[in-house]
Coordinates of all heavy atoms in Angstrom, one line a residue:
M1 N 107.6 112.3 111.5 CA 108.3 113.6 111.4 C 108.9 113.9 112.8 O 108.2 113.7 113.8 CB 107.3 114.7 111.0 CG 106.5 114.3 109.9 SD 106.2 115.5 108.7 CE 105.2 114.6 107.6
A2 N 110.1 114.4 112.7 CA 110.8 114.6 114.0 C 110.1 115.7 114.8 O 109.7 116.7 114.3 CB 112.2 115.0 113.7
Y3 N 110.1 115.3 116.1 CA 109.6 116.3 117.2 C 108.1 116.6 117.1 O 107.7 117.5 117.8 CB 110.4 117.6 117.1 CG 111.9 117.3 117.0 CD1 112.6 117.6 115.8 CD2 112.6 116.9 118.1 CE1 114.0 117.4 115.8 CE2 114.0 116.7 118.0 CZ 114.6 116.9 116.9 OH 116.0 116.7 116.8
I4 N 107.3 115.8 116.4 CA 105.9 116.0 116.4 C 105.2 114.7 116.6 O 105.5 113.7 116.0 CB 105.5 116.6 115.0 CG1 106.2 117.9 114.7 CG2 104.0 116.8 114.9 CD1 106.0 118.3 113.3
E5 N 104.1 114.8 117.4 CA 103.3 113.6 117.7 C 102.4 113.4 116.5 O 101.8 114.4 116.0 CB 102.5 113.8 118.9 CG 103.3 113.6 120.2 CD 103.7 112.2 120.5 OE1 102.9 111.3 120.1 OE2 104.7 112.0 121.1
G6 N 102.2 112.2 116.0 CA 101.3 111.9 114.9 C 99.9 112.3 115.2 O 99.2 112.7 114.3
E7 N 99.5 112.1 116.5 CA 98.1 112.5 116.8 C 97.8 113.9 116.6 O 96.7 114.3 116.2 CB 97.8 112.1 118.3 CG 97.8 110.6 118.5 CD 96.7 109.9 117.7 OE1 95.6 110.4 117.7 OE2 97.0 108.8 117.2
S8 N 98.8 114.8 116.9 CA 98.7 116.2 116.7 C 98.5 116.5 115.2 O 97.7 117.4 114.8 CB 99.9 117.0 117.2 OG 100.0 116.8 118.6
M9 N 99.3 115.8 114.4 CA 99.1 116.0 112.9 C 97.8 115.5 112.4 O 97.1 116.2 111.6 CB 100.3 115.3 112.2 CG 101.6 116.0 112.3 SD 102.9 115.4 111.2 CE 103.2 113.8 112.0
I10 N 97.3 114.4 113.0 CA 96.0 113.9 112.6 C 94.9 115.0 112.9 O 94.0 115.2 112.0 CB 95.6 112.6 113.3 CG1 96.4 111.4 112.7 CG2 94.1 112.3 113.2 CD1 96.2 110.1 113.5
L11 N 94.9 115.5 114.0 CA 93.9 116.5 114.4 C 94.0 117.7 113.5 O 92.9 118.3 113.1 CB 94.1 116.9 115.9 CG 93.8 115.9 116.9 CD1 94.2 116.3 118.3 CD2 92.3 115.5 116.9
N12 N 95.2 118.2 113.2 CA 95.3 119.4 112.4 C 94.9 119.1 110.9 O 94.3 120.0 110.3 CB 96.7 119.9 112.5 CG 97.0 120.8 113.7 OD1 96.8 122.0 113.6 ND2 97.3 120.1 114.8
L13 N 95.3 118.0 110.4 CA 94.9 117.6 109.1 C 93.4 117.4 109.0 O 92.7 117.8 108.0 CB 95.6 116.4 108.6 CG 97.1 116.6 108.3 CD1 97.9 115.3 108.2 CD2 97.2 117.4 107.0
D14 N 92.8 116.8 110.0 CA 91.3 116.6 110.1 C 90.6 118.0 110.0 O 89.6 118.1 109.3 CB 90.9 115.9 111.3 CG 89.5 115.6 111.4 OD1 89.0 114.9 110.4 OD2 88.8 116.0 112.3
M15 N 91.1 119.0 110.7 CA 90.5 120.3 110.6 C 90.6 120.9 109.2 O 89.8 121.8 108.9 CB 91.2 121.2 111.6 CG 90.8 120.9 113.1 SD 91.4 122.1 114.3 CE 93.1 121.8 114.3
E16 N 91.5 120.4 108.4 CA 91.6 120.8 107.0 C 90.8 119.9 106.1 O 90.9 120.0 104.9 CB 93.1 120.8 106.6 CG 93.9 121.8 107.3 CD 93.7 123.3 106.9 OE1 93.1 123.5 105.8 OE2 94.0 124.2 107.7
G17 N 90.1 118.9 106.6 CA 89.3 118.0 105.8 C 90.1 116.9 105.2 O 89.7 116.2 104.3
I18 N 91.3 116.6 105.8 CA 92.2 115.5 105.2 C 92.3 114.4 106.2 O 92.6 114.6 107.4 CB 93.6 116.1 105.0 CG1 93.5 117.2 103.9 CG2 94.6 115.0 104.5 CD1 94.8 118.1 103.8
A19 N 91.9 113.2 105.8 CA 91.9 112.0 106.7 C 93.2 111.2 106.5 O 93.6 110.8 105.4 CB 90.7 111.1 106.4
V20 N 93.9 111.1 107.6 CA 95.1 110.3 107.7 C 95.1 109.4 109.0 O 94.2 109.6 109.8 CB 96.4 111.1 107.7 CG1 96.5 111.9 106.4 CG2 96.5 112.0 108.9
S21 N 96.1 108.5 109.1 CA 96.2 107.7 110.3 C 97.7 107.7 110.7 O 98.5 108.2 110.0 CB 95.8 106.3 110.0 OG 94.5 106.2 109.4
T22 N 97.9 107.1 111.9 CA 99.2 106.9 112.4 C 99.4 105.4 112.5 O 98.5 104.7 112.6 CB 99.5 107.6 113.7 OG1 98.7 107.1 114.7 CG2 99.4 109.1 113.6
G23 N 100.7 105.0 112.6 CA 101.0 103.6 112.9 C 100.5 102.7 111.7 O 100.2 103.2 110.6
S24 N 100.5 101.4 111.9 CA 100.2 100.5 110.9 C 98.7 100.2 111.0 O 98.0 100.4 112.0 CB 100.9 99.2 111.1 OG 100.6 98.6 112.3
A25 N 98.1 99.7 109.9 CA 96.7 99.4 109.9 C 96.3 98.3 110.9 O 95.2 98.4 111.5 CB 96.3 98.9 108.5
C26 N 97.2 97.4 111.2 CA 96.8 96.3 112.1 C 96.9 96.8 113.6 O 96.4 96.1 114.5 CB 97.8 95.1 111.9 SG 99.5 95.5 112.1
T27 N 97.4 98.0 113.8 CA 97.4 98.5 115.2 C 96.7 99.9 115.3 O 97.0 100.7 116.1 CB 98.8 98.7 115.8 OG1 99.5 99.6 114.9 CG2 99.6 97.4 115.9
S28 N 95.7 100.1 114.4 CA 95.1 101.4 114.3 C 94.3 101.7 115.5 O 94.1 102.9 115.8 CB 94.1 101.4 113.0 OG 93.1 100.4 113.2
A29 N 93.9 100.8 116.3 CA 93.2 101.1 117.6 C 94.1 101.4 118.7 O 93.7 101.7 119.8 CB 92.2 100.0 117.9
S30 N 95.4 101.3 118.5 CA 96.4 101.4 119.6 C 97.2 102.7 119.4 O 97.3 103.2 118.3 CB 97.3 100.2 119.5 OG 98.4 100.5 120.4
L31 N 97.7 103.3 120.5 CA 98.6 104.4 120.4 C 100.0 104.0 120.2 O 100.9 104.9 120.2 CB 98.4 105.3 121.6 CG 97.0 106.0 121.7 CD1 96.9 106.8 123.0 CD2 96.7 106.9 120.6
E32 N 100.3 102.7 120.1 CA 101.6 102.3 120.0 C 102.2 102.7 118.6 O 101.4 102.7 117.6 CB 101.7 100.7 120.1 CG 101.4 100.2 121.5 CD 102.5 100.7 122.5 OE1 103.7 100.6 122.2 OE2 102.1 101.1 123.6
S33 N 103.5 102.9 118.5 CA 104.1 103.3 117.2 C 104.2 102.0 116.4 O 104.1 100.9 116.9 CB 105.4 103.9 117.4 OG 106.3 103.1 118.2
S34 N 104.4 102.1 115.1 CA 104.5 101.0 114.2 C 105.6 100.1 114.6 O 106.8 100.5 114.7 CB 104.7 101.5 112.8 OG 105.0 100.4 111.9
H35 N 105.3 98.8 114.8 CA 106.4 97.8 115.1 C 107.4 97.7 113.9 O 108.6 97.4 114.1 CB 105.8 96.5 115.5 CG 105.2 95.8 114.4 ND1 103.9 96.0 114.0 CD2 105.6 94.8 113.6 CE1 103.5 95.2 112.9 NE2 104.6 94.5 112.7
V36 N 106.9 98.0 112.7 CA 107.8 97.9 111.5 C 108.8 99.0 111.6 O 110.0 98.8 111.4 CB 107.0 97.9 110.2 CG1 107.9 98.0 109.0 CG2 106.0 96.7 110.1
L37 N 108.3 100.2 111.9 CA 109.3 101.4 112.0 C 110.3 101.2 113.1 O 111.5 101.5 112.9 CB 108.5 102.7 112.2 CG 107.6 103.0 111.0 CD1 106.8 104.3 111.3 CD2 108.4 103.2 109.7
T38 N 109.9 100.7 114.2 CA 110.8 100.5 115.3 C 111.8 99.3 115.0 O 112.9 99.3 115.4 CB 110.1 100.3 116.7 OG1 109.2 99.2 116.6 CG2 109.5 101.5 117.1
A39 N 111.3 98.3 114.3 CA 112.1 97.1 113.9 C 113.2 97.5 112.9 O 114.3 96.9 113.0 CB 111.2 96.0 113.3
I40 N 113.0 98.5 112.1 CA 114.0 99.0 111.2 C 115.0 100.0 111.9 O 115.9 100.5 111.2 CB 113.5 99.5 109.9 CG1 112.7 100.8 110.1 CG2 112.7 98.5 109.1 CD1 112.3 101.5 108.9
G41 N 114.8 100.2 113.2 CA 115.7 101.0 113.9 C 115.3 102.5 114.1 O 116.1 103.3 114.6
L42 N 114.1 102.8 113.7 CA 113.7 104.2 113.9 C 113.4 104.4 115.4 O 112.7 103.6 116.0 CB 112.4 104.4 113.1 CG 112.0 105.9 112.7 CD1 113.1 106.5 111.8 CD2 110.7 105.9 112.0
P43 N 113.9 105.5 115.9 CA 113.7 105.8 117.3 C 112.2 105.9 117.6 O 111.5 106.4 116.8 CB 114.4 107.1 117.6 CG 115.4 107.2 116.5 CD 114.8 106.5 115.3
H44 N 111.8 105.5 118.8 CA 110.4 105.6 119.2 C 109.8 107.0 119.0 O 108.7 107.2 118.5 CB 110.3 105.2 120.7 CG 108.9 105.3 121.3 ND1 107.9 104.4 121.0 CD2 108.4 106.2 122.1 CE1 106.8 104.7 121.6 NE2 107.1 105.8 122.3
E45 N 110.6 108.0 119.3 CA 110.1 109.4 119.1 C 109.8 109.7 117.7 O 108.8 110.5 117.4 CB 111.2 110.4 119.6 CG 111.4 110.3 121.1 CD 112.4 109.2 121.5 OE1 112.9 108.5 120.6 OE2 112.6 109.0 122.7
L46 N 110.6 109.2 116.7 CA 110.3 109.5 115.3 C 109.1 108.6 114.8 O 108.3 109.0 114.0 CB 111.5 109.2 114.5 CG 112.6 110.2 114.6 CD1 113.8 109.8 113.7 CD2 112.2 111.6 114.2
A47 N 109.1 107.4 115.3 CA 108.0 106.5 114.9 C 106.7 107.0 115.3 O 105.7 106.8 114.6 CB 108.2 105.1 115.4
H48 N 106.6 107.7 116.4 CA 105.3 108.3 116.9 C 104.9 109.5 116.0 O 103.8 109.9 116.1 CB 105.4 108.7 118.4 CG 104.8 107.7 119.3 ND1 103.5 107.5 119.4 CD2 105.4 106.8 120.1 CE1 103.2 106.5 120.2 NE2 104.4 106.1 120.7
G49 N 105.8 110.0 115.2 CA 105.5 111.1 114.4 C 105.2 110.7 113.0 O 105.1 111.5 112.0
S50 N 105.0 109.4 112.8 CA 104.7 108.9 111.4 C 103.3 109.1 111.0 O 102.4 109.1 111.9 CB 105.1 107.4 111.3 OG 104.3 106.6 112.1
L51 N 103.0 109.2 109.8 CA 101.6 109.3 109.2 C 101.5 108.2 108.2 O 102.4 107.8 107.5 CB 101.4 110.6 108.5 CG 101.2 111.9 109.3 CD1 101.0 113.1 108.4 CD2 100.0 111.7 110.3
R52 N 100.2 107.7 108.2 CA 99.9 106.7 107.1 C 98.8 107.4 106.2 O 97.7 107.7 106.7 CB 99.3 105.4 107.8 CG 98.9 104.4 106.7 CD 98.7 103.0 107.4 NE 97.9 103.1 108.6 CZ 96.5 102.9 108.6 NH1 95.9 102.7 107.5 NH2 95.9 103.0 109.8
L53 N 99.2 107.6 105.0 CA 98.3 108.2 104.0 C 97.9 107.1 103.0 O 98.8 106.5 102.4 CB 99.0 109.3 103.3 CG 99.4 110.5 104.2 CD1 100.8 110.5 104.6 CD2 99.0 111.8 103.6
T54 N 96.7 106.8 102.9 CA 96.2 105.7 102.1 C 95.2 106.3 101.1 O 94.1 106.6 101.4 CB 95.5 104.7 102.9 OG1 96.3 104.3 104.0 CG2 95.1 103.4 102.1
P55 N 95.7 106.4 99.8 CA 94.7 106.9 98.8 C 93.7 105.8 98.5 O 94.0 104.6 98.5 CB 95.6 107.2 97.6 CG 96.9 106.5 97.8 CD 97.0 106.2 99.3
G56 N 92.5 106.3 98.2 CA 91.4 105.3 97.8 C 91.0 105.6 96.4 O 91.6 106.4 95.7
R57 N 90.0 104.8 96.0 CA 89.5 105.0 94.6 C 89.0 106.4 94.3 O 89.2 106.8 93.1 CB 88.4 104.0 94.4 CG 88.9 102.5 94.3 CD 87.7 101.6 94.0 NE 88.3 100.2 94.1 CZ 87.5 99.2 94.3 NH1 86.2 99.3 94.4 NH2 88.1 98.0 94.3
A58 N 88.5 107.0 95.3 CA 88.0 108.4 95.0 C 89.0 109.5 95.2 O 88.7 110.6 94.9 CB 86.8 108.6 96.0
T59 N 90.2 109.1 95.6 CA 91.3 110.1 95.8 C 91.7 110.7 94.5 O 92.0 109.9 93.5 CB 92.5 109.5 96.5 OG1 92.1 109.0 97.8 CG2 93.5 110.6 96.8
T60 N 91.7 112.0 94.4 CA 92.1 112.7 93.1 C 93.5 113.2 93.3 O 94.1 113.4 94.4 CB 91.1 113.8 92.8 OG1 91.3 114.8 93.8 CG2 89.7 113.3 92.7
E61 N 94.1 113.6 92.2 CA 95.4 114.3 92.2 C 95.3 115.6 92.9 O 96.2 116.0 93.7 CB 95.9 114.5 90.7 CG 97.3 115.0 90.7 CD 97.8 115.1 89.2 OE1 97.3 114.3 88.4 OE2 98.7 115.9 89.0
A62 N 94.1 116.3 92.8 CA 93.9 117.5 93.6 C 93.9 117.3 95.1 O 94.4 118.1 95.8 CB 92.6 118.2 93.1
D63 N 93.4 116.1 95.5 CA 93.4 115.8 96.9 C 94.9 115.6 97.4 O 95.2 116.1 98.5 CB 92.7 114.5 97.2 CG 91.2 114.5 96.9 OD1 90.6 115.6 97.1 OD2 90.6 113.5 96.6
I64 N 95.7 115.0 96.6 CA 97.1 114.7 97.0 C 97.8 116.1 97.0 O 98.6 116.4 97.9 CB 97.7 113.7 96.0 CG1 97.1 112.4 96.2 CG2 99.2 113.7 96.3 CD1 97.4 111.3 95.2
D65 N 97.6 116.9 96.0 CA 98.2 118.2 95.9 C 97.8 119.1 97.1 O 98.7 119.7 97.7 CB 97.8 119.0 94.6 CG 98.5 118.4 93.4 OD1 99.5 117.6 93.6 OD2 98.0 118.6 92.3
R66 N 96.6 119.0 97.5 CA 96.1 119.8 98.7 C 96.8 119.3 100.0 O 97.3 120.1 100.8 CB 94.6 119.7 98.9 CG 94.1 120.3 100.1 CD 92.7 120.9 100.0 NE 92.1 121.2 101.3 CZ 92.6 122.0 102.2 NH1 93.7 122.7 102.0 NH2 91.9 122.3 103.3
T67 N 96.9 118.0 100.1 CA 97.6 117.5 101.3 C 99.1 118.0 101.3 O 99.6 118.4 102.4 CB 97.6 115.9 101.3 OG1 96.2 115.5 101.3 CG2 98.3 115.3 102.5
L68 N 99.7 117.9 100.2 CA 101.1 118.4 100.1 C 101.3 119.9 100.3 O 102.3 120.3 100.8 CB 101.7 118.0 98.8 CG 101.9 116.4 98.5 CD1 102.3 116.2 97.1 CD2 102.8 115.8 99.6
D69 N 100.2 120.6 100.0 CA 100.2 122.1 100.2 C 100.0 122.4 101.7 O 100.7 123.3 102.3 CB 99.2 122.8 99.4 CG 99.5 122.8 97.9 OD1 100.6 122.7 97.6 OD2 98.5 123.1 97.2
V70 N 99.2 121.6 102.4 CA 98.8 121.9 103.8 C 99.8 121.4 104.8 O 100.1 122.0 105.8 CB 97.4 121.3 104.0 CG1 97.0 121.4 105.5 CG2 96.3 122.1 103.2
L71 N 100.3 120.2 104.5 CA 101.2 119.5 105.5 C 102.4 120.3 106.0 O 102.6 120.4 107.2 CB 101.6 118.2 105.0 CG 102.3 117.2 105.9 CD1 101.5 116.9 107.2 CD2 102.7 115.9 105.2
P72 N 103.2 121.0 105.1 CA 104.3 121.7 105.6 C 104.0 122.8 106.6 O 104.7 123.0 107.6 CB 104.9 122.3 104.4 CG 104.5 121.4 103.3 CD 103.1 121.0 103.6
G73 N 102.8 123.5 106.4 CA 102.4 124.5 107.4 C 102.1 123.9 108.7 O 102.3 124.5 109.8
I74 N 101.4 122.8 108.7 CA 101.1 122.1 110.0 C 102.3 121.6 110.7 O 102.4 121.8 111.9 CB 100.1 120.9 109.7 CG1 98.7 121.5 109.2 CG2 99.9 120.0 110.9 CD1 97.8 120.4 108.7
V75 N 103.3 121.1 110.0 CA 104.5 120.7 110.6 C 105.2 121.9 111.2 O 105.7 121.8 112.4 CB 105.4 119.9 109.6 CG1 106.8 119.7 110.1 CG2 104.8 118.6 109.1
K76 N 105.3 123.0 110.5 CA 105.9 124.2 111.0 C 105.3 124.7 112.2 O 105.9 125.0 113.2 CB 105.9 125.2 109.9 CG 106.7 126.5 110.3 CD 106.7 127.5 109.1 CE 107.4 128.8 109.5 NZ 107.5 129.7 108.5
K77 N 103.9 124.7 112.2 CA 103.2 125.2 113.4 C 103.4 124.3 114.6 O 103.7 124.8 115.7 CB 101.7 125.2 113.1 CG 100.8 125.6 114.2 CD 99.3 125.7 113.8 CE 98.7 124.4 113.8 NZ 97.2 124.4 113.6
L78 N 103.4 123.0 114.4 CA 103.5 122.1 115.5 C 105.0 122.1 116.1 O 105.2 121.9 117.3 CB 103.1 120.6 115.2 CG 101.6 120.5 114.9 CD1 101.3 119.1 114.4 CD2 100.8 120.8 116.1
R79 N 105.9 122.2 115.2 CA 107.3 122.3 115.6 C 107.6 123.6 116.4 O 108.4 123.6 117.3 CB 108.3 122.2 114.5 CG 108.4 120.8 114.0 CD 109.5 120.6 112.9 NE 109.7 119.2 112.6 CZ 110.3 118.8 111.5 NH1 110.7 119.7 110.6 NH2 110.4 117.5 111.2
A80 N 106.9 124.6 116.1 CA 107.0 125.9 116.8 C 106.6 125.8 118.2 O 107.2 126.6 119.1 CB 106.2 127.0 116.1
I81 N 105.7 124.9 118.5 CA 105.3 124.8 119.9 C 105.9 123.5 120.6 O 105.5 123.2 121.7 CB 103.7 124.7 120.0 CG1 103.2 123.6 119.3 CG2 103.2 126.1 119.5 CD1 101.6 123.4 119.4
S82 N 106.8 122.8 119.9 CA 107.3 121.6 120.5 C 108.6 121.9 121.3 O 109.6 122.3 120.7 CB 107.7 120.6 119.3 OG 108.4 119.6 119.8
P83 N 108.6 121.6 122.6 CA 109.8 121.7 123.3 C 110.9 120.8 122.9 O 112.1 121.1 122.9 CB 109.4 121.4 124.8 CG 108.1 120.7 124.7 CD 107.5 121.1 123.4
L84 N 110.6 119.6 122.3 CA 111.6 118.7 121.8 C 112.3 119.2 120.6 O 113.5 119.1 120.4 CB 110.9 117.3 121.5 CG 110.4 116.5 122.6 CD1 109.7 115.3 122.1 CD2 111.6 116.2 123.6
Y85 N 111.5 119.9 119.7 CA 112.1 120.5 118.5 C 113.1 121.6 118.9 O 114.2 121.7 118.3 CB 111.0 121.1 117.6 CG 111.5 121.6 116.3 CD1 112.1 120.8 115.3 CD2 111.5 123.0 116.0 CE1 112.6 121.2 114.2 CE2 112.0 123.5 114.8 CZ 112.5 122.6 113.9 OH 113.0 123.1 112.7
K86 N 112.7 122.4 119.8 CA 113.6 123.5 120.3 C 114.9 122.9 120.9 O 116.0 123.4 120.6 CB 112.9 124.4 121.3 CG 111.8 125.2 120.6 CD 110.9 126.0 121.7 CE 109.7 126.6 121.0 NZ 108.8 127.2 121.9
K87 N 114.7 121.9 121.6 CA 115.9 121.2 122.2 C 116.8 120.6 121.2 O 118.0 120.7 121.2 CB 115.5 120.2 123.2 CG 116.6 119.5 123.9 CD 116.1 118.4 124.9 CE 117.2 117.6 125.5 NZ 116.8 116.5 126.3
G88 N 116.2 120.0 120.2 CA 116.9 119.3 119.1 C 117.7 120.4 118.3 O 118.8 120.1 117.8
K89 N 117.1 121.5 118.0 CA 117.7 122.6 117.3 C 119.0 123.1 118.0 O 120.0 123.4 117.4 CB 116.8 123.7 117.0 CG 115.8 123.4 115.9 CD 114.9 124.5 115.6 CE 115.7 125.5 114.8 NZ 114.8 126.6 114.3
I90 N 118.8 123.2 119.3 CA 120.0 123.6 120.1 C 121.1 122.6 120.1 O 122.3 123.0 120.1 CB 119.5 123.9 121.6 CG1 118.6 125.1 121.6 CG2 120.7 124.1 122.5 CD1 117.8 125.3 122.9
N91 N 120.8 121.3 120.0 CA 121.8 120.3 120.0 C 122.1 119.8 118.6 O 122.1 118.6 118.3 CB 121.3 119.1 120.9 CG 121.2 119.5 122.3 OD1 122.2 120.0 122.9 ND2 120.1 119.3 122.9
N92 N 122.3 120.7 117.7 CA 122.6 120.4 116.3 C 121.6 119.6 115.6 O 122.0 118.8 114.7 CB 124.0 119.8 116.2 CG 125.1 120.7 116.8 OD1 125.0 121.9 116.5 ND2 126.0 120.2 117.6
G93 N 120.4 119.6 115.9 CA 119.3 118.9 115.2 C 119.3 117.4 115.5 O 118.6 116.7 114.8
K94 N 120.1 116.9 116.4 CA 120.1 115.5 116.7 C 119.0 115.1 117.6 O 118.9 115.8 118.7 CB 121.4 115.0 117.2 CG 122.5 115.2 116.2 CD 123.8 114.6 116.6 CE 124.9 115.0 115.7 NZ 125.6 114.5 115.0
L95 N 118.2 114.1 117.3 CA 117.2 113.7 118.2 C 117.8 113.0 119.4 O 118.7 112.2 119.3 CB 116.3 112.6 117.5 CG 115.0 112.2 118.2 CD1 114.1 113.4 118.5 CD2 114.3 111.2 117.4
Q96 N 117.3 113.4 120.6 CA 117.9 112.9 121.8 C 116.9 112.2 122.6 O 115.8 112.5 122.7 CB 118.6 114.0 122.6 CG 119.6 114.7 121.7 CD 120.6 115.5 122.6 OE1 120.5 115.6 123.8 NE2 121.7 115.9 121.9

């Protein structure tokens, strides 16, 4: 997600009882962005804002609905405090 660090989203989702990860599973112990996302040309800043959501056997449709309900508010809150988001909005929304 543009202008938001994945780690910030993880912490906020965790406070809501939702477990997610950033990056790829093979680099889960690293703070590096996904090499796959950067290989396809995604800028480093956007790749760092990625989330990995992995449903399991116990994941219900209600769990997915709750995540989809909670996530937009978290994104809005984090963008409100992001100096990069404010700068991007001033520059026609283009990531710089």
